[in-house]
Amino acid sequence: MAERGGFGRGFGGRGDGEGGRGGRGRGGGRGDRRGGRRGNKSEEEKWVPVTKLGRLVKSGNITSLEQIYLHSLPVKEHQIVDALTKDLKDEVMKITPVQKQTRAGQRTRFKAFVVVGDGNGHVGLGVKCAKEVATAIRGAIILAKLSVIPVRRGYWGNKIGLPHTVPCKVTGKCGSVTVRMVPAPRGAGIVAARVPKKVLQFAGIEDVFTSSRGSTKILGNFVKATFDCLMKTYGFLTPDFWMETRFSNSPYQQYTDLLSKQATKAILPPTEEIPPVEV
Amino acid sequence: MSGRISVPSNYLTLWCCYLLNYLCFQISVYLCTSGMGEVILGMPGQWAHDYREKADHYTSKIGGLPDWPDLDIPVSGKLLLCDLCGGKLCLMAQIYAPLSMAERSIDERVIYVLGCMKKDCGSNPQSWRVLRLQRCKQDIESKDEPLKAEQPEEESTSVAEDKPTSQSSSVKVCDDEDSDSDIDLDDLAQALEQAATLASNSKKQDGTKHTRKIVEGPVAKKLIYDLTTPVLPCFYIYSQRNSSEGRMDKANFVGGSSISLKEIEKSSGNESEGESWEGEAYEYDKALGADRTYLKFKKQLDAYPEQCFRYSYGGNALFPVANVPKPGACKICGSARRFELQLMPPLLYFLQEASDDSSNFSIDGWTWLTIIIFTCPKNCCSGTCDEKSGNSCRCIVEEEAIVIQDD
């Protein structure tokens, strides 16, 4: 039998993978940090997918996140998002201590808010509490990647160039905070408070007017309300979507048929050519 | 900062505080686990050279053909057929799981997990069958099982005089959230006493301890010429204990972020615009597609990403979803079945990788997240066994499997 890939690499690879993690970028300022996946290829290869979607992504049958969004498949592994997106940047928005009163004094944990995005229509927000700061950040990055959503952009007026603003007025709510986003003309920039501005920058929206209401001092809710607002951009039915949908097979059905070579009565996918009939 | 506790005046609490740093991990584990639950992981070993090669019934393996020991009565046909379609079941996993309990020890005990590969049956839980085959012996053997899997002593601490060593070093790791409940100091003292008694008990007589034979591969690679039964790609299993919390942190590391702690402290110091994040409270993990239970499941998986099954006799299963149906009762003795082992998704991934070449079947019909196997706690026999006369007999009993699907 030909040699199998997985196991041999699995045994030897464990030691190798842990060595390549030392180089984390250091630098001042609060700018965006690029996800440094370039040097860590060995870790990606060690991903053993758990869900069916993960197996499809790993085998290369699914090539873009849009196929996943089209069928609303839940993403349960962050490696899926890593594999399907390029240049996903992440940034820690805030780390706050969260305290709980116990009999032996106060127990402090750290809550990390991380936003990930590629600046071109995909953004995710992750919140994680943990006893150590590093654990909280790591966990929040993973949760943010699990929550990556598509953001719809549109035009304010003339449809010249690429979409730059929200397609319509949308509003999102979390707790008592409501955030309303209104389309803005080109050059207006993101007119928002510092905290939601970051999320909108990661989403790839260039111009927008925002208005907020409620107790925006609770910045956790403020950020989540902005994120909720972005989620709704694709939920809004505009006249572009009035045409009837042509339904296609979910990747689960599509690839089950293709991969079952044995079945003689397999349903042929429509892209296959019909062999010529001999007269 | 988390470890800082003001020095109390009470002697008991003072003693507990010294131990807290060492024992916090172990004690929280004792509060979480139900006594004898240590988890043994089945990790993938070598591939078989031929998928139909014969091993012995002491081998733990995935796929291939089942190795029946010498049976007085051969395994009846209908146990090997699918309930739904009537076709032949194929062996998914064969696990050698001997037991040594206080009253009796069962050395020859094997668990076979059989499944149907047809497309429609694969997602239906009724097509799975679990068989437990054992030889009942009357004589009680010596307590020291010569075949131990591994002896990870590196985590044993030497704080208290009668500190449990072998048990504490190989216990299941709990989550942050579970162990974050208040460790009340009285409970701590109680738990320490319990731990001490457990240790002394374990040294006097073996508790319910389970051993596993490490198998590198069968010596005689004979082939079984049974071409009618469908066969999955075959590989052997070696066992490993589930340990080391530190490993989980490393496994969770995503090789992407280049954020350092210094930057965070700098950024948090730059709060000059009058924003202060107030009113934050503890929040459970949540993502768009994954809930808290699943995230905990995934965290355990990420610690050992290649684990094929988790074995924990009488321990707690790792549920990926919250509502899991309860197991039924044993058909022979009527006692409620107990968790023994569960199959994990990396198994499916390995089988799929291997099956790309051969086109006998499709495993794509299988979309389970985990298969949890419950067995009778009394290891009862099927009734034809005559224990009083001291004869050793082999019996085969059907057990229960709960399949949790991946939606």
Side-chain angles (χ1 to χ4, degrees), chain A residues 225-261:
Chain A
T226 324
F227 188 68
D228 180 52
C229 196
L230 289 171
M231 263 204 284
K232 288 186 175 172
T233 54
Y234 261 116
F236 201 101
L237 181 65
T238 58
D240 320 339
F241 293 150
W242 282 357
M243 203 165 71
E244 286 214 20
T245 342
R246 218 186 325 162
F247 294 108
S248 58
N249 268 341
S250 147
Y252 294 159
Q253 275 103 46
Q254 192 178 350
Y255 291 108
T256 308
D257 291 338
L258 277 178
L259 287 174
S260 65
K261 299 167 198 160

mmCIF file of all heavy atoms in Angstrom, chain A residues 225-261:
data_model
loop_
_atom_site.group_PDB
_atom_site.id
_atom_site.type_symbol
_atom_site.label_atom_id
_atom_site.label_comp_id
_atom_site.label_asym_id
_atom_site.label_seq_id
_atom_site.Cartn_x
_atom_site.Cartn_y
_atom_site.Cartn_z
ATOM 1 N N ALA A 225 -23.405 45.695 19.597
ATOM 2 C CA ALA A 225 -24.502 46.280 18.824
ATOM 3 C C ALA A 225 -24.026 46.626 17.423
ATOM 4 O O ALA A 225 -24.758 46.410 16.439
ATOM 5 C CB ALA A 225 -25.030 47.525 19.530
ATOM 6 N N THR A 226 -22.817 47.136 17.302
ATOM 7 C CA THR A 226 -22.277 47.429 15.970
ATOM 8 C C THR A 226 -22.145 46.154 15.157
ATOM 9 O O THR A 226 -22.460 46.105 13.967
ATOM 10 C CB THR A 226 -20.886 48.068 16.077
ATOM 11 O OG1 THR A 226 -20.828 48.921 17.193
ATOM 12 C CG2 THR A 226 -20.530 48.814 14.833
ATOM 13 N N PHE A 227 -21.670 45.111 15.812
ATOM 14 C CA PHE A 227 -21.504 43.839 15.116
ATOM 15 C C PHE A 227 -22.848 43.299 14.666
ATOM 16 O O PHE A 227 -22.994 42.774 13.551
ATOM 17 C CB PHE A 227 -20.804 42.862 16.060
ATOM 18 C CG PHE A 227 -20.405 41.586 15.414
ATOM 19 C CD1 PHE A 227 -19.414 41.556 14.442
ATOM 20 C CD2 PHE A 227 -21.009 40.403 15.755
ATOM 21 C CE1 PHE A 227 -19.046 40.385 13.840
ATOM 22 C CE2 PHE A 227 -20.641 39.213 15.165
ATOM 23 C CZ PHE A 227 -19.663 39.209 14.210
ATOM 24 N N ASP A 228 -23.831 43.441 15.512
ATOM 25 C CA ASP A 228 -25.174 42.981 15.164
ATOM 26 C C ASP A 228 -25.712 43.757 13.977
ATOM 27 O O ASP A 228 -26.373 43.212 13.085
ATOM 28 C CB ASP A 228 -26.073 43.145 16.392
ATOM 29 C CG ASP A 228 -27.473 42.683 16.120
ATOM 30 O OD1 ASP A 228 -27.633 41.546 15.637
ATOM 31 O OD2 ASP A 228 -28.418 43.456 16.369
ATOM 32 N N CYS A 229 -25.406 45.036 13.966
ATOM 33 C CA CYS A 229 -25.823 45.883 12.848
ATOM 34 C C CYS A 229 -25.194 45.403 11.548
ATOM 35 O O CYS A 229 -25.858 45.316 10.513
ATOM 36 C CB CYS A 229 -25.371 47.296 13.177
ATOM 37 S SG CYS A 229 -26.132 48.550 12.218
ATOM 38 N N LEU A 230 -23.928 45.056 11.593
ATOM 39 C CA LEU A 230 -23.258 44.575 10.377
ATOM 40 C C LEU A 230 -23.834 43.249 9.921
ATOM 41 O O LEU A 230 -23.912 42.968 8.723
ATOM 42 C CB LEU A 230 -21.756 44.431 10.644
ATOM 43 C CG LEU A 230 -20.994 45.735 10.805
ATOM 44 C CD1 LEU A 230 -19.585 45.458 11.275
ATOM 45 C CD2 LEU A 230 -20.963 46.496 9.496
ATOM 46 N N MET A 231 -24.245 42.425 10.891
ATOM 47 C CA MET A 231 -24.848 41.144 10.515
ATOM 48 C C MET A 231 -26.114 41.365 9.715
ATOM 49 O O MET A 231 -26.470 40.566 8.861
ATOM 50 C CB MET A 231 -25.193 40.349 11.783
ATOM 51 C CG MET A 231 -24.161 39.334 12.154
ATOM 52 S SD MET A 231 -24.805 38.004 13.152
ATOM 53 C CE MET A 231 -24.961 38.807 14.713
ATOM 54 N N LYS A 232 -26.804 42.456 10.013
ATOM 55 C CA LYS A 232 -28.102 42.654 9.375
ATOM 56 C C LYS A 232 -27.985 43.204 7.966
ATOM 57 O O LYS A 232 -29.003 43.269 7.269
ATOM 58 C CB LYS A 232 -28.924 43.620 10.214
ATOM 59 C CG LYS A 232 -29.396 42.995 11.498
ATOM 60 C CD LYS A 232 -30.326 43.937 12.206
ATOM 61 C CE LYS A 232 -30.905 43.273 13.427
ATOM 62 N NZ LYS A 232 -31.659 44.228 14.244
ATOM 63 N N THR A 233 -26.802 43.602 7.540
ATOM 64 C CA THR A 233 -26.718 44.202 6.202
ATOM 65 C C THR A 233 -27.112 43.196 5.137
ATOM 66 O O THR A 233 -27.750 43.547 4.137
ATOM 67 C CB THR A 233 -25.296 44.712 5.922
ATOM 68 O OG1 THR A 233 -24.363 43.653 6.129
ATOM 69 C CG2 THR A 233 -24.959 45.874 6.826
ATOM 70 N N TYR A 234 -26.768 41.939 5.337
ATOM 71 C CA TYR A 234 -27.179 40.944 4.358
ATOM 72 C C TYR A 234 -28.565 40.399 4.622
ATOM 73 O O TYR A 234 -29.092 39.630 3.825
ATOM 74 C CB TYR A 234 -26.180 39.781 4.306
ATOM 75 C CG TYR A 234 -25.204 39.908 3.163
ATOM 76 C CD1 TYR A 234 -23.852 40.074 3.396
ATOM 77 C CD2 TYR A 234 -25.651 39.878 1.848
ATOM 78 C CE1 TYR A 234 -22.971 40.204 2.355
ATOM 79 C CE2 TYR A 234 -24.776 40.012 0.795
ATOM 80 C CZ TYR A 234 -23.434 40.177 1.059
ATOM 81 O OH TYR A 234 -22.558 40.308 0.021
ATOM 82 N N GLY A 235 -29.148 40.778 5.730
ATOM 83 C CA GLY A 235 -30.486 40.305 6.017
ATOM 84 C C GLY A 235 -31.567 41.207 5.468
ATOM 85 O O GLY A 235 -32.741 40.868 5.515
ATOM 86 N N PHE A 236 -31.180 42.354 4.958
ATOM 87 C CA PHE A 236 -32.160 43.343 4.519
ATOM 88 C C PHE A 236 -32.556 43.068 3.077
ATOM 89 O O PHE A 236 -31.715 43.029 2.188
ATOM 90 C CB PHE A 236 -31.522 44.734 4.639
ATOM 91 C CG PHE A 236 -32.499 45.838 4.709
ATOM 92 C CD1 PHE A 236 -32.819 46.423 5.920
ATOM 93 C CD2 PHE A 236 -33.120 46.312 3.559
ATOM 94 C CE1 PHE A 236 -33.727 47.459 5.996
ATOM 95 C CE2 PHE A 236 -34.023 47.347 3.628
ATOM 96 C CZ PHE A 236 -34.329 47.926 4.857
ATOM 97 N N LEU A 237 -33.841 42.894 2.831
ATOM 98 C CA LEU A 237 -34.297 42.551 1.486
ATOM 99 C C LEU A 237 -34.411 43.821 0.658
ATOM 100 O O LEU A 237 -35.263 44.663 0.899
ATOM 101 C CB LEU A 237 -35.656 41.857 1.576
ATOM 102 C CG LEU A 237 -36.258 41.403 0.255
ATOM 103 C CD1 LEU A 237 -35.407 40.330 -0.367
ATOM 104 C CD2 LEU A 237 -37.656 40.875 0.473
ATOM 105 N N THR A 238 -33.538 43.968 -0.331
ATOM 106 C CA THR A 238 -33.604 45.113 -1.239
ATOM 107 C C THR A 238 -34.091 44.616 -2.604
ATOM 108 O O THR A 238 -34.094 43.415 -2.861
ATOM 109 C CB THR A 238 -32.217 45.751 -1.388
ATOM 110 O OG1 THR A 238 -31.312 44.766 -1.876
ATOM 111 C CG2 THR A 238 -31.708 46.257 -0.053
ATOM 112 N N PRO A 239 -34.524 45.523 -3.464
ATOM 113 C CA PRO A 239 -35.058 45.106 -4.762
ATOM 114 C C PRO A 239 -34.088 44.258 -5.587
ATOM 115 O O PRO A 239 -34.534 43.491 -6.439
ATOM 116 C CB PRO A 239 -35.364 46.424 -5.470
ATOM 117 C CG PRO A 239 -35.655 47.363 -4.363
ATOM 118 C CD PRO A 239 -34.778 46.959 -3.224
ATOM 119 N N ASP A 240 -32.781 44.336 -5.318
ATOM 120 C CA ASP A 240 -31.856 43.477 -6.069
ATOM 121 C C ASP A 240 -32.160 42.013 -5.841
ATOM 122 O O ASP A 240 -31.849 41.161 -6.658
ATOM 123 C CB ASP A 240 -30.411 43.708 -5.636
ATOM 124 C CG ASP A 240 -30.119 45.171 -5.398
ATOM 125 O OD1 ASP A 240 -30.875 46.014 -5.940
ATOM 126 O OD2 ASP A 240 -29.159 45.468 -4.681
ATOM 127 N N PHE A 241 -32.730 41.698 -4.695
ATOM 128 C CA PHE A 241 -32.955 40.306 -4.327
ATOM 129 C C PHE A 241 -34.345 39.822 -4.695
ATOM 130 O O PHE A 241 -34.741 38.737 -4.310
ATOM 131 C CB PHE A 241 -32.765 40.115 -2.807
ATOM 132 C CG PHE A 241 -31.350 40.313 -2.337
ATOM 133 C CD1 PHE A 241 -31.096 40.786 -1.069
ATOM 134 C CD2 PHE A 241 -30.280 40.030 -3.161
ATOM 135 C CE1 PHE A 241 -29.808 40.978 -0.624
ATOM 136 C CE2 PHE A 241 -28.988 40.217 -2.723
ATOM 137 C CZ PHE A 241 -28.746 40.695 -1.451
ATOM 138 N N TRP A 242 -35.100 40.639 -5.442
ATOM 139 C CA TRP A 242 -36.475 40.232 -5.733
ATOM 140 C C TRP A 242 -36.548 39.054 -6.673
ATOM 141 O O TRP A 242 -37.512 38.317 -6.682
ATOM 142 C CB TRP A 242 -37.236 41.414 -6.334
ATOM 143 C CG TRP A 242 -37.655 42.410 -5.304
ATOM 144 C CD1 TRP A 242 -37.484 42.331 -3.969
ATOM 145 C CD2 TRP A 242 -38.326 43.635 -5.559
ATOM 146 N NE1 TRP A 242 -38.006 43.438 -3.357
ATOM 147 C CE2 TRP A 242 -38.526 44.254 -4.303
ATOM 148 C CE3 TRP A 242 -38.780 44.275 -6.704
ATOM 149 C CZ2 TRP A 242 -39.172 45.483 -4.185
ATOM 150 C CZ3 TRP A 242 -39.419 45.495 -6.565
ATOM 151 C CH2 TRP A 242 -39.611 46.090 -5.320
ATOM 152 N N MET A 243 -35.487 38.835 -7.469
ATOM 153 C CA MET A 243 -35.552 37.730 -8.417
ATOM 154 C C MET A 243 -35.578 36.414 -7.678
ATOM 155 O O MET A 243 -34.941 36.262 -6.641
ATOM 156 C CB MET A 243 -34.330 37.778 -9.333
ATOM 157 C CG MET A 243 -34.554 37.060 -10.641
ATOM 158 S SD MET A 243 -33.319 37.488 -11.866
ATOM 159 C CE MET A 243 -31.897 36.669 -11.209
ATOM 160 N N GLU A 244 -36.265 35.428 -8.229
ATOM 161 C CA GLU A 244 -36.412 34.152 -7.525
ATOM 162 C C GLU A 244 -35.084 33.425 -7.422
ATOM 163 O O GLU A 244 -34.319 33.360 -8.372
ATOM 164 C CB GLU A 244 -37.396 33.274 -8.285
ATOM 165 C CG GLU A 244 -38.810 33.747 -8.102
ATOM 166 C CD GLU A 244 -39.773 32.585 -8.091
ATOM 167 O OE1 GLU A 244 -39.343 31.441 -7.854
ATOM 168 O OE2 GLU A 244 -40.950 32.833 -8.318
ATOM 169 N N THR A 245 -34.857 32.844 -6.266
ATOM 170 C CA THR A 245 -33.583 32.148 -6.063
ATOM 171 C C THR A 245 -33.570 30.830 -6.801
ATOM 172 O O THR A 245 -34.549 30.093 -6.788
ATOM 173 C CB THR A 245 -33.393 31.808 -4.577
ATOM 174 O OG1 THR A 245 -34.256 32.596 -3.796
ATOM 175 C CG2 THR A 245 -31.976 31.989 -4.144
ATOM 176 N N ARG A 246 -32.431 30.546 -7.406
ATOM 177 C CA ARG A 246 -32.256 29.216 -7.972
ATOM 178 C C ARG A 246 -31.486 28.416 -6.938
ATOM 179 O O ARG A 246 -30.315 28.694 -6.660
ATOM 180 C CB ARG A 246 -31.453 29.314 -9.272
ATOM 181 C CG ARG A 246 -31.955 28.340 -10.303
ATOM 182 C CD ARG A 246 -31.139 28.267 -11.543
ATOM 183 N NE ARG A 246 -30.553 29.515 -11.964
ATOM 184 C CZ ARG A 246 -29.537 29.580 -12.822
ATOM 185 N NH1 ARG A 246 -29.024 28.479 -13.305
ATOM 186 N NH2 ARG A 246 -29.044 30.749 -13.176
ATOM 187 N N PHE A 247 -32.141 27.420 -6.372
ATOM 188 C CA PHE A 247 -31.507 26.710 -5.263
ATOM 189 C C PHE A 247 -30.465 25.743 -5.781
ATOM 190 O O PHE A 247 -30.646 25.103 -6.800
ATOM 191 C CB PHE A 247 -32.573 25.949 -4.464
ATOM 192 C CG PHE A 247 -33.530 26.858 -3.772
ATOM 193 C CD1 PHE A 247 -34.837 26.989 -4.213
ATOM 194 C CD2 PHE A 247 -33.121 27.615 -2.684
ATOM 195 C CE1 PHE A 247 -35.717 27.838 -3.582
ATOM 196 C CE2 PHE A 247 -34.003 28.461 -2.049
ATOM 197 C CZ PHE A 247 -35.304 28.582 -2.497
ATOM 198 N N SER A 248 -29.392 25.645 -5.056
ATOM 199 C CA SER A 248 -28.356 24.682 -5.438
ATOM 200 C C SER A 248 -28.122 23.726 -4.276
ATOM 201 O O SER A 248 -28.558 23.977 -3.163
ATOM 202 C CB SER A 248 -27.048 25.407 -5.782
ATOM 203 O OG SER A 248 -26.630 26.177 -4.676
ATOM 204 N N ASN A 249 -27.440 22.649 -4.569
ATOM 205 C CA ASN A 249 -27.194 21.646 -3.538
ATOM 206 C C ASN A 249 -26.259 22.171 -2.468
ATOM 207 O O ASN A 249 -25.259 22.805 -2.756
ATOM 208 C CB ASN A 249 -26.545 20.409 -4.174
ATOM 209 C CG ASN A 249 -27.585 19.399 -4.575
ATOM 210 O OD1 ASN A 249 -28.704 19.440 -4.083
ATOM 211 N ND2 ASN A 249 -27.217 18.511 -5.469
ATOM 212 N N SER A 250 -26.576 21.845 -1.249
ATOM 213 C CA SER A 250 -25.662 22.162 -0.153
ATOM 214 C C SER A 250 -24.364 21.371 -0.341
ATOM 215 O O SER A 250 -24.405 20.277 -0.906
ATOM 216 C CB SER A 250 -26.333 21.785 1.162
ATOM 217 O OG SER A 250 -25.389 21.359 2.099
ATOM 218 N N PRO A 251 -23.242 21.882 0.090
ATOM 219 C CA PRO A 251 -21.985 21.137 -0.113
ATOM 220 C C PRO A 251 -22.041 19.730 0.448
ATOM 221 O O PRO A 251 -21.377 18.833 -0.051
ATOM 222 C CB PRO A 251 -20.940 21.964 0.654
ATOM 223 C CG PRO A 251 -21.487 23.313 0.721
ATOM 224 C CD PRO A 251 -22.976 23.206 0.680
ATOM 225 N N TYR A 252 -22.844 19.505 1.459
ATOM 226 C CA TYR A 252 -22.901 18.164 2.021
ATOM 227 C C TYR A 252 -23.463 17.184 1.000
ATOM 228 O O TYR A 252 -22.886 16.127 0.771
ATOM 229 C CB TYR A 252 -23.786 18.140 3.278
ATOM 230 C CG TYR A 252 -23.236 18.929 4.433
ATOM 231 C CD1 TYR A 252 -24.068 19.362 5.454
ATOM 232 C CD2 TYR A 252 -21.890 19.235 4.546
ATOM 233 C CE1 TYR A 252 -23.587 20.065 6.533
ATOM 234 C CE2 TYR A 252 -21.400 19.938 5.612
ATOM 235 C CZ TYR A 252 -22.248 20.352 6.605
ATOM 236 O OH TYR A 252 -21.763 21.059 7.665
ATOM 237 N N GLN A 253 -24.564 17.574 0.355
ATOM 238 C CA GLN A 253 -25.118 16.651 -0.640
ATOM 239 C C GLN A 253 -24.245 16.583 -1.873
ATOM 240 O O GLN A 253 -24.047 15.529 -2.435
ATOM 241 C CB GLN A 253 -26.509 17.106 -1.088
ATOM 242 C CG GLN A 253 -27.627 16.650 -0.200
ATOM 243 C CD GLN A 253 -28.096 17.770 0.677
ATOM 244 O OE1 GLN A 253 -28.290 18.873 0.196
ATOM 245 N NE2 GLN A 253 -28.272 17.494 1.937
ATOM 246 N N GLN A 254 -23.735 17.735 -2.254
ATOM 247 C CA GLN A 254 -22.989 17.797 -3.501
ATOM 248 C C GLN A 254 -21.785 16.880 -3.465
ATOM 249 O O GLN A 254 -21.527 16.133 -4.396
ATOM 250 C CB GLN A 254 -22.540 19.248 -3.691
ATOM 251 C CG GLN A 254 -22.013 19.588 -5.029
ATOM 252 C CD GLN A 254 -21.665 21.068 -5.054
ATOM 253 O OE1 GLN A 254 -22.012 21.797 -4.139
ATOM 254 N NE2 GLN A 254 -20.971 21.480 -6.075
ATOM 255 N N TYR A 255 -21.064 16.905 -2.358
ATOM 256 C CA TYR A 255 -19.836 16.142 -2.328
ATOM 257 C C TYR A 255 -20.052 14.711 -1.895
ATOM 258 O O TYR A 255 -19.216 13.869 -2.134
ATOM 259 C CB TYR A 255 -18.792 16.853 -1.463
ATOM 260 C CG TYR A 255 -18.354 18.109 -2.157
ATOM 261 C CD1 TYR A 255 -18.742 19.354 -1.702
ATOM 262 C CD2 TYR A 255 -17.617 18.044 -3.330
ATOM 263 C CE1 TYR A 255 -18.374 20.500 -2.370
ATOM 264 C CE2 TYR A 255 -17.249 19.181 -4.000
ATOM 265 C CZ TYR A 255 -17.634 20.404 -3.513
ATOM 266 O OH TYR A 255 -17.274 21.537 -4.177
ATOM 267 N N THR A 256 -21.160 14.420 -1.276
ATOM 268 C CA THR A 256 -21.447 13.021 -0.997
ATOM 269 C C THR A 256 -21.647 12.275 -2.299
ATOM 270 O O THR A 256 -21.144 11.184 -2.476
ATOM 271 C CB THR A 256 -22.712 12.905 -0.146
ATOM 272 O OG1 THR A 256 -22.589 13.753 0.979
ATOM 273 C CG2 THR A 256 -22.909 11.487 0.306
ATOM 274 N N ASP A 257 -22.368 12.890 -3.237
ATOM 275 C CA ASP A 257 -22.601 12.210 -4.501
ATOM 276 C C ASP A 257 -21.318 12.040 -5.290
ATOM 277 O O ASP A 257 -21.066 10.991 -5.863
ATOM 278 C CB ASP A 257 -23.608 13.018 -5.345
ATOM 279 C CG ASP A 257 -24.984 12.977 -4.723
ATOM 280 O OD1 ASP A 257 -25.227 12.042 -3.945
ATOM 281 O OD2 ASP A 257 -25.793 13.868 -5.008
ATOM 282 N N LEU A 258 -20.498 13.065 -5.279
ATOM 283 C CA LEU A 258 -19.286 12.984 -6.087
ATOM 284 C C LEU A 258 -18.312 11.965 -5.539
ATOM 285 O O LEU A 258 -17.595 11.314 -6.274
ATOM 286 C CB LEU A 258 -18.600 14.357 -6.135
ATOM 287 C CG LEU A 258 -19.148 15.329 -7.160
ATOM 288 C CD1 LEU A 258 -18.407 16.641 -7.065
ATOM 289 C CD2 LEU A 258 -19.006 14.753 -8.544
ATOM 290 N N LEU A 259 -18.257 11.836 -4.211
ATOM 291 C CA LEU A 259 -17.224 10.991 -3.639
ATOM 292 C C LEU A 259 -17.626 9.528 -3.561
ATOM 293 O O LEU A 259 -16.794 8.672 -3.351
ATOM 294 C CB LEU A 259 -16.858 11.482 -2.231
ATOM 295 C CG LEU A 259 -16.040 12.768 -2.200
ATOM 296 C CD1 LEU A 259 -15.872 13.231 -0.779
ATOM 297 C CD2 LEU A 259 -14.688 12.541 -2.817
ATOM 298 N N SER A 260 -18.891 9.242 -3.713
ATOM 299 C CA SER A 260 -19.268 7.830 -3.624
ATOM 300 C C SER A 260 -19.110 7.213 -4.994
ATOM 301 O O SER A 260 -20.000 7.235 -5.819
ATOM 302 C CB SER A 260 -20.698 7.687 -3.122
ATOM 303 O OG SER A 260 -21.590 8.236 -4.048
ATOM 304 N N LYS A 261 -17.938 6.658 -5.226
ATOM 305 C CA LYS A 261 -17.647 6.165 -6.576
ATOM 306 C C LYS A 261 -18.362 4.866 -6.837
ATOM 307 O O LYS A 261 -18.582 4.471 -7.954
ATOM 308 C CB LYS A 261 -16.138 5.927 -6.703
ATOM 309 C CG LYS A 261 -15.360 7.166 -6.492
ATOM 310 C CD LYS A 261 -13.890 6.844 -6.299
ATOM 311 C CE LYS A 261 -13.200 8.045 -5.665
ATOM 312 N NZ LYS A 261 -11.968 7.719 -5.027
#
